Amino acid sequence: MMWAKVLWMLLLLCKLSLAVLPAKPENISCIFYYEENFTCTWSPEKEASYTWYKVKRTYSYGYKSDICSTDNSTRGNHASCSFLPPTITNPDNYTIQVEAQNADGIMKSDITYWNLDAIMKIEPPEIFSVKSVLGIKRMLQIKWIRPVLAPHSSTLKYTLRFRTINSAYWMEVNFTKEDIDRDETYNLTELQAFTEYVMTLRCAPAESMFWSGWSQEKVGTTEEEAPYGLDLWRVLKPAMVDGRRPVQLMWKKATGAPVLEKALGYNIWYFPENNTNLTETVNTTNQTHELYLGGKTYWVYVVSYNSLGESPVATLRIPALNEKTFQCIEAMQACLTQDQLVVEWQSSAPEVDTWMVEWFPDVDSEPSSFSWESVSQARNWTIQKDELKPLWCYNISVYPVLRDRVGQPYSTQAYVQEGTKTVNSNILQYRLESLTRRTSYSLQVMASTNAGGTNGTKINFKTLSISVLEIFFITSLVGGGFLILIMLTVAYGLKKPNKLKHLCWPDVPNPAESSIATWRGDDFKDKLNLKESDDPVNMEEDQVLKPYSAPTDFIDKLVVNFENFLEEVSTEELGKSQENILKEEKNKHVTSPYCLHHPPISTEIPQRKPQQLCSRIPEGTCSETKEQLFSSVQSLGPDHLCEEGEPNPYLKNSVTTREFVCLKNFKTKPKEKFSVAVA
């Protein structure tokens, strides 16, 4: 019996030692979401077994109590529970105790006390406008709607958060509103002119420790003012042959000027020192202007203006050509930090507290890549790495400025990122890739061992504007295009050789093959009339006889009886129009020993009297010429002159044509006609 009791005691002790109670709930926190719920959360330890929780509450100042129902309790090691209306009263004081339970037992938290006014959280307000007030500078008026789910009797406190649209840093303003109107306003002052601001707002009951969420952001712009001011700088160029000095003026908005500030234009006036009578003025809309000054000292003034006024005057002194400037910078160095390039310098003149820093890439720079910035009361200058291009070497110069005089600059070179490539010792060459066109590069090779490294000679080179591959590609493309064109031309020529021949070597009309020589009197009239009827616009022009100058061998080529040619033509017949001549040509013939001669149907030779023609020839020569012409006609013979079957190629090209009626066998045979051309 004793051994049985001992065994039973051992088993009981073992069971008790194996029992694990849940962890005690800690860090209880409760929030009263106005007119929505009352929620508590806590932080349990990691449980070894399944645990569920109960939240016990007393309310109505301790007169009532309840437990968070199972439906509202979140199980499975998730620690939160919510009490829902209508059991939520306000104002009120609650007590909260959390019980954790598993299969081995129950563990209770400490009792906590909660004042609902102190833990109340309401909805965020709604901003519906952010506007400037007409006539009030550098101010924005914010209007919003008071949250619907907020106690009407409570005074609300607000936090207004704002920033410029290009900034990431917020500024805050706290204020309270005691009225219960839903539409609230607040005037935010001491802002920058003509600047965009982003606004957001949150609120809370005056006694509460919990703020609402932030409202949606709203953007507003302050009113525009006259321009803030200008930063003015110059680049002095070498004097020209005629003694004039080009001076490149550059300006920009001064540091601290509104981001949205816009100028309608810029007024520049300049004059030699101590001689304002020679003042010259310039107006421009650009932010740079080149002046051509003499060798003396000049003063330059620049202002910007808009519809509201002018900016303060920016002044710059241009030293004389032979003026010696002071030098006070003894040393300068540039170093890289994690995200900045820092330039520091040392000066021997403590009175100098203003410096002008200029920087530009060490390439064939355009004016747009030239930058400058003024530094005051410091001997260092920093710039963010992302504002400089990687792998580019920059020329950086610092000018000391003492009142209106600019001293000698001190220059250095720096870059924000370099390319480094490590290769094995057996490699003695390396191909650089992805270089920028028309850019200067510096290259240096370092040989390294475990004991250290030694730099080789530094070399500089400049890349081409076009690569060899592109040259090859363009050449291949052009050559290929010509080859395809030749192949298409050859193929077209083989398929249609006549058309290709006609395109390359067009046919020239052969006068010998003309059909005009075969036309007869009536046919020629019909064709002439047909031409005139086809072209009614030029009818009158075609009917007018055009002047024609006879060639020098006219007499030699005239194969007609000269005596018939010299037969008198009355003045009345010469005055008739061409139409009367054509109507009467059947009834009028010129007689000849061999042929009857009709007047010409169309001729460009003006008719003259025989006396006029012979008047230009000596008397002896005129008679001899008549005999020669007469004998030449006889030698040809009537059969040859009147032959119709063989058209004379010479007649086909003729301009002037005469018709003859053969007299041979005139009584028995029909009239035979032939044409003689006068070229």
Side-chain angles (χ1 to χ4, degrees):
M1 289 294 294
M2 187 178 65
W3 286 104
K5 291 181 180 180
V6 172
L7 182 60
W8 182 83
M9 292 295 294
L10 290 175
L11 291 175
L12 181 60
L13 291 174
C14 182
K15 183 179 180 180
L16 291 174
S17 63
L18 294 175
V20 179
L21 295 176
K24 180 180 178 181
E26 302 285 351
N27 301 323
I28 299 174
S29 176
C30 297
I31 299 178
F32 172 37
Y33 296 97
Y34 183 73
E35 293 189 358
E36 290 185 358
N37 60 68
F38 177 85
T39 301
C40 294
T41 59
W42 54 90
S43 301
E45 295 290 339
K46 184 177 181 181
E47 303 291 349
S49 60
Y50 179 77
T51 305
W52 62 93
Y53 299 90
K54 291 182 181 180
V55 179
K56 294 182 178 181
R57 176 188 65 157
T58 64
Y59 62 100
S60 295
Y61 297 98
Y63 289 101
K64 296 181 180 180
S65 65
D66 60 359
I67 297 175
C68 184
S69 64
T70 305
D71 294 338
N72 294 332
S73 178
T74 305
R75 296 186 176 183
N77 298 332
H78 295 283
S80 70
C81 186
S82 298
F83 296 90
L84 302 177
T87 61
I88 302 176
T89 58
N90 184 49
D92 202 349
N93 293 327
Y94 289 176
T95 63
I96 298 295
Q97 187 178 39
V98 180
E99 289 184 358
Q101 182 178 358
N102 61 11
D104 295 325
I106 299 175
M107 185 62 68
K108 296 182 179 181
S109 70
D110 297 334
I111 297 177
T112 58
Y113 301 90
W114 304 96
N115 186 324
L116 294 189
D117 288 339
I119 60 173
M120 185 187 302
K121 186 171 184 178
I122 60 178
E123 290 182 337
E126 179 184 355
I127 300 177
F128 65 86
S129 72
V130 177
K131 297 181 179 179
S132 60
V133 178
L134 184 62
I136 302 178
K137 306 297 184 182
R138 304 190 180 190
M139 188 191 81
L140 287 176
Q141 187 176 76
I142 301 94
K143 293 185 178 182
W144 68 91
I145 300 176
R146 182 185 173 98
V148 176
L149 297 180
H152 294 281
S153 59
S154 299
T155 298
L156 298 184
K157 57 184 178 181
Y158 293 89
T159 299
L160 177 64
R161 188 169 66 172
F162 63 97
R163 61 176 175 85
T164 60
I165 198 168
N166 295 323
S167 175
Y169 302 99
W170 292 93
M171 295 171 284
E172 293 184 356
V173 174
N174 295 314
F175 57 92
T176 59
K177 285 289 184 177
E178 296 182 358
D179 52 15
I180 60 174
D181 294 336
R182 292 195 58 198
D183 294 345
E184 307 282 357
T185 61
Y186 183 80
N187 295 329
L188 184 62
T189 59
E190 299 182 3
L191 302 177
Q192 294 183 11
F194 203 38
T195 304
E196 285 184 304
Y197 284 91
V198 180
M199 305 286 178
T200 183
L201 191 65
R202 70 177 182 178
C203 63
E207 304 84 2
S208 177
M209 59 185 296
F210 293 112
W211 287 91
S212 69
W214 291 103
S215 67
Q216 290 187 345
E217 295 179 353
K218 203 78 172 180
V219 179
T221 306
T222 54
E223 280 196 344
E224 186 178 10
E225 294 182 1
Y228 187 82
L230 295 174
D231 282 342
L232 182 61
W233 189 235
R234 83 294 185 273
V235 174
L236 304 180
K237 299 181 180 180
M240 303 173 67
V241 178
D242 57 0
R244 296 186 303 164
R245 288 185 298 162
V247 177
Q248 188 74 27
L249 294 179
M250 299 173 290
W251 56 87
K252 59 183 179 180
K253 291 189 294 186
T255 305
V259 177
L260 298 181
E261 180 184 277
K262 295 180 180 179
L264 298 178
Y266 305 92
N267 288 326
I268 307 169
W269 65 94
Y270 57 98
F271 52 86
E273 192 172 36
N274 301 325
N275 193 353
T276 58
N277 295 329
L278 299 178
T279 301
E280 297 188 41
T281 60
V282 178
N283 181 268
T284 181
T285 58
N286 301 322
Q287 288 187 291
T288 180
H289 186 76
E290 190 167 66
L291 302 178
Y292 293 91
L293 306 178
K296 300 179 181 179
T297 301
Y298 275 79
W299 284 91
V300 179
Y301 299 90
V302 181
V303 297
S304 61
Y305 62 88
N306 59 16
S307 59
L308 299 177
E310 292 184 346
S311 69
V313 179
T315 307
L316 189 65
R317 179 181 180 272
I318 308 299
L321 187 61
N322 56 356
E323 180 177 316
K324 294 183 179 180
T325 57
F326 66 95
Q327 183 175 2
C328 65
I329 301 179
E330 299 176 346
M332 186 168 65
Q333 64 176 359
C335 59
L336 290 172
T337 62
Q338 185 175 0
D339 57 352
Q340 292 179 333
L341 173 65
V342 181
V343 179
E344 299 178 341
W345 58 89
Q346 298 177 0
S347 173
S348 60
E351 65 275 11
V352 177
D353 60 353
T354 302
W355 318 84
M356 187 65 73
V357 182
E358 64 178 27
W359 66 97
F360 55 90
D362 188 21
V363 294
D364 296 336
S365 305
E366 297 181 358
S368 59
S369 62
F370 187 93
S371 304
W372 80 99
E373 184 177 345
S374 179
V375 177
S376 298
Q377 299 179 354
R379 295 183 182 179
N380 60 74
W381 172 77
T382 60
I383 186 172
Q384 298 295 324
K385 284 185 177 180
D386 55 5
E387 297 183 30
L388 302 177
K389 294 184 178 181
L391 303 181
W392 280 35
C393 182
Y394 282 84
N395 295 320
I396 303 175
S397 300
V398 178
Y399 292 78
V401 180
L402 182 61
R403 290 183 290 275
D404 56 8
R405 296 179 180 269
V406 179
Q408 285 285 344
Y410 198 102
S411 302
T412 187
Q413 289 186 326
Y415 52 86
V416 296
Q417 181 182 344
E418 65 179 357
T420 58
K421 179 67 177 178
T422 303
V423 298
N424 295 329
S425 58
N426 58 345
I427 297 178
L428 300 179
Q429 62 179 5
Y430 183 77
R431 181 183 179 88
L432 298 176
E433 303 287 348
S434 303
L435 300 180
T436 306
R437 302 183 183 191
R438 297 182 61 187
T439 304
S440 298
Y441 285 90
S442 297
L443 178 66
Q444 198 169 30
V445 178
M446 173 187 288
S448 302
T449 63
N450 294 333
T454 302
N455 287 325
T457 304
K458 184 178 181 180
I459 61 173
N460 300 319
F461 65 92
K462 185 176 181 180
T463 54
L464 301 176
S465 59
I466 185 171
S467 64
V468 178
L469 181 62
E470 290 175 332
I471 296 175
F472 175 77
F473 176 76
I474 294 174
T475 304
S476 302
L477 187 63
V478 175
F482 278 114
L483 181 60
I484 293 174
L485 181 62
I486 293 173
M487 293 175 63
L488 292 176
T489 305
V490 172
Y492 182 79
L494 294 176
K495 186 176 181 180
K496 297 181 179 180
N498 294 333
K499 288 188 177 182
L500 182 62
K501 179 180 178 182
H502 180 71
L503 290 174
C504 298
W505 300 280
D507 296 334
V508 178
N510 187 357
E513 297 177 0
S514 175
S515 62
I516 193 173
T518 62
W519 296 355
R520 295 297 180 260
D522 294 337
D523 296 336
F524 185 81
K525 295 174 185 178
D526 295 338
K527 294 182 180 295
L528 180 62
N529 294 332
L530 179 61
K531 177 181 178 183
E532 292 174 352
S533 63
D534 290 340
D535 193 4
V537 178
N538 299 326
M539 185 181 299
E540 296 180 4
E541 181 179 356
D542 294 336
Q543 290 177 353
V544 179
L545 293 177
K546 299 180 180 180
Y548 178 80
S549 58
T552 56
D553 58 345
F554 172 79
I555 298 177
D556 297 332
K557 295 183 179 180
L558 183 63
V559 195
V560 295
N561 193 325
F562 191 70
E563 292 179 355
N564 296 335
F565 183 80
L566 296 177
E567 190 164 316
E568 291 185 1
V569 180
S570 64
T571 305
E572 182 178 357
E573 292 176 345
L574 292 174
K576 291 182 179 180
S577 65
Q578 186 177 3
E579 295 180 357
N580 295 331
I581 295 174
L582 293 175
K583 292 179 181 178
E584 298 176 0
E585 67 174 344
K586 292 184 179 181
N587 299 326
K588 292 184 180 181
H589 299 87
V590 180
T591 60
S592 174
Y594 296 99
C595 301
L596 293 178
H597 175 244
H598 288 284
I601 295 175
S602 64
T603 179
E604 297 182 3
I605 304 175
Q607 298 186 13
R608 300 172 183 168
K609 292 183 178 181
Q611 292 83 353
Q612 294 176 350
L613 181 62
C614 291
S615 65
R616 298 183 180 182
I617 306 174
E619 295 181 358
T621 308
C622 183
S623 60
E624 293 175 1
T625 304
K626 293 180 181 179
E627 295 176 0
Q628 292 176 0
L629 291 173
F630 186 79
S631 61
S632 63
V633 173
Q634 287 182 343
S635 64
L636 291 174
D639 295 335
H640 181 74
L641 291 175
C642 298
E643 187 174 356
E644 293 180 355
E646 298 178 5
N648 192 342
Y650 173 73
L651 297 179
K652 296 178 182 178
N653 295 331
S654 65
V655 178
T656 306
T657 306
R658 290 183 180 273
E659 295 185 358
F660 294 88
V661 180
C662 292
L663 294 178
K664 182 181 180 180
N665 300 326
F666 178 76
K667 297 180 179 180
T668 60
K669 293 183 179 181
K671 294 181 181 180
E672 296 183 3
K673 298 180 181 180
F674 66 92
S675 300
V676 177
V678 180

